[in-house]
Amino acid sequence: GNSVTQMEGPVTLSEEAFLTINCTYTATGYPSLFWYVQYPGEGLQLLLKATKADDKGSNKGFEATYRKETTSFHLEKGSVQVSDSAVYFCALILMDSSYKLIFGSGTRLLVRP
Amino acid sequence: NAGVTQTPKFQVLKTGQSMTLQCAQDMNHEYMSWYRQDPGMGLRLIHYSVGAGITDQGEVPNGYNVSRSTTEDFPLRLLSAAPSQTSVYFCASSPPSYNEQFFGPGTRLTVL
C-alpha cells in the first residue's frame, strides 16, 4: 500500500545545529512529495514540495530532494533557530482520481537557545 | 481571501450527542477534505470531495457524514459522538493542480 515513514521524535538540537529529518515513502506510481510544518496551536502550512524525481524543494532555509532510487525525501537545514521548533510532517499525494494526501506520523523538533 | 475557515475552534460534547463541524473556503477550490489528527498518528483522511455533489470515504470514515452542496462549504457531521472521536479536526482544500492542500486552523473536539 501507499505510506510515509518518518523518524520518530522528538529531535532536540541547539541553535545553529544542522538538522536532518528522515522520510521514506512507498507508493504506486509517481507521487508528489511534501513537507508540512505545524507550529504550536496552529494548522499545517506547506513548507516545501517536489513533484518529480531529483527535484529539490526549498523554503526558509529548509531543503529536501526527491530521491526515487531510495524512495526518500529527507528534510535538511544547515542552521536551525529557536523559531523552527514545530512538528514536521512528510506527505505524499497520489495523483490518481482520489488525490489523497498521505501523511507520516510527524516529527517534533525542539531547538534550544 | 480568508482562505480555509473552520468553526468552532473548540467543542466539548457528551457521548451520543451530534454536531456539525463547519468548513468553508473562498478560493474556488474544487477539492476539499477532512482529516483528524491524533498523537503519534499524523493526519488521517476521513472524507473528501472532488467537487460539489461528489463525496467519498477516506481512511477513517465511520461515525462521520459529509455533504457538498456548494463549492465553498464542506461540513462534517458527527452522528452520535463517541470518546474515540476526541481529536483535532482539520479541513483542507486544493486547487485543480492538486499539488498543494491549504489547511484550516483546526477544531479541537473533546467527547466526554
Side-chain angles (χ1 to χ4, degrees):
Chain A
N2 302 294
S3 65
V4 175
T5 302
Q6 308 181 216
M7 60 188 292
E8 291 208 16
V11 173
T12 304
L13 296 173
S14 297
E15 206 165 24
E16 299 184 1
F18 184 85
L19 168 70
T20 300
I21 300 178
N22 290 337
C23 170
T24 58
Y25 68 90
T26 302
T28 53
Y30 300 98
S32 293
L33 302 175
F34 305 85
W35 277 101
Y36 280 85
V37 58
Q38 184 179 31
Y39 298 103
E42 298 185 10
L44 278 74
Q45 303 173 25
L46 179 66
L47 181 59
L48 53 85
K49 65 181 179 184
T51 59
K52 62 182 187 298
D54 298 326
D55 268 3
K56 179 186 280 189
S58 62
N59 186 26
K60 299 182 180 179
F62 291 89
E63 292 183 341
T65 302
Y66 189 143
R67 301 284 187 203
K68 185 167 175 282
E69 63 277 12
T70 55
T71 62
S72 64
F73 193 55
H74 305 321
L75 182 69
E76 296 182 336
K77 187 175 185 182
S79 177
V80 294
Q81 306 300 313
V82 172
S83 57
D84 293 327
S85 298
V87 181
Y88 293 82
F89 292 93
C90 185
L92 65 84
I93 194 163
L94 303 174
M95 300 306 288
D96 59 10
S97 58
S98 70
Y99 302 102
K100 295 177 184 176
L101 195 59
I102 295 173
F103 286 89
S105 57
T107 302
R108 182 174 300 276
L109 171 65
L110 176 61
V111 181
R112 294 180 173 163
Chain B
N1 286 349
V4 180
T5 58
Q6 292 183 237
T7 56
K9 282 189 179 239
F10 302 94
Q11 183 70 49
V12 178
L13 293 178
K14 295 181 180 178
T15 297
Q17 287 185 313
S18 63
M19 80 159 293
T20 298
L21 307 185
Q22 300 293 343
C23 174
Q25 53 92 8
D26 60 359
M27 297 174 283
N28 202 33
H29 289 169
E30 292 189 358
Y31 185 93
M32 297 185 73
S33 53
W34 276 102
Y35 297 85
R36 58 178 290 171
Q37 182 181 26
D38 301 296
M41 301 188 72
L43 278 75
R44 293 180 292 168
L45 183 64
I46 304 171
H47 285 285
Y48 66 97
S49 168
V50 298
I54 306 169
T55 63
D56 207 344
Q57 296 181 351
E59 183 184 355
V60 288
N62 292 342
Y64 307 94
N65 268 359
V66 291
S67 59
R68 184 94 180 273
S69 56
T70 66
T71 300
E72 294 78 20
D73 299 299
F74 192 43
L76 178 73
R77 281 182 287 277
L78 280 70
L79 309 172
S80 177
S84 61
Q85 293 179 304
T86 293
S87 188
V88 181
Y89 291 85
F90 290 100
C91 178
S93 73
S94 177
S97 66
Y98 299 101
N99 250 334
E100 180 174 349
Q101 291 196 14
F102 294 84
F103 285 80
T107 294
R108 184 175 294 276
L109 175 68
T110 302
V111 182
L112 303 175

